[in-house]
Amino acid sequence: ARQVGPMEQSREVVVATVGDLVPGTTWKFLLPTAGEPTEAFLVNVDGALHGWVNRCRHVEITLDWVEGRFLDESGRYVVCATHGALYEPDTGRCVSGPPFGRVLVRVPLRVEGGRVIATVPDEL
């Protein structure tokens, strides 16, 4: 097995436990990035968890319209509070709004012992 250095370990963070999020809900957390931590969020789509950096692809601002709320009224799309861009919660792809066709930055997730662990994406 490859040795994991201290720098790599700090790129991971436990963000939830399995069962914390029911389908159709979101959960905000912080990624350990250099300087200020970076906001990110989980979304449960039909029982599958997806992680995204909380940053619109149009203008680099956070998406949540109420603290920790990311889904539109229908629960089908992640919506940007500022300009109304709609993103698919499972693919991160913008389907409506200024950044049409662009994709949110995915936060890699894995489950170990019932814990959901997020890794800082390479793009950050």
Side-chain angles (χ1 to χ4, degrees), residues 16-39:
T17 57
V18 174
D20 279 347
L21 283 94
V22 296
T25 58
T26 57
W27 180 274
K28 193 153 119 174
F29 61 93
L30 294 175
L31 288 168
T33 49
E36 288 292 311
T38 299
E39 282 191 8

Side-chain angles (χ1 to χ4, degrees), residues 55-106:
R55 188 178 299 146
C56 185
R57 296 312 300 254
H58 172 222
V59 179
E60 289 204 0
I61 49 178
T62 56
L63 297 161
D64 39 341
W65 48 280
V66 173
E67 182 70 19
R69 292 281 309 270
F70 296 92
L71 297 173
D72 67 354
E73 293 294 327
S74 73
R76 292 179 52 219
Y77 297 102
V78 170
V79 62
C80 177
T82 305
H83 299 114
L86 298 178
Y87 296 89
E88 294 173 329
D90 53 348
T91 67
R93 185 173 173 274
C94 181
V95 294
S96 174
F100 184 81
R102 298 202 60 201
V103 179
L104 295 173
V105 176
R106 184 178 289 277

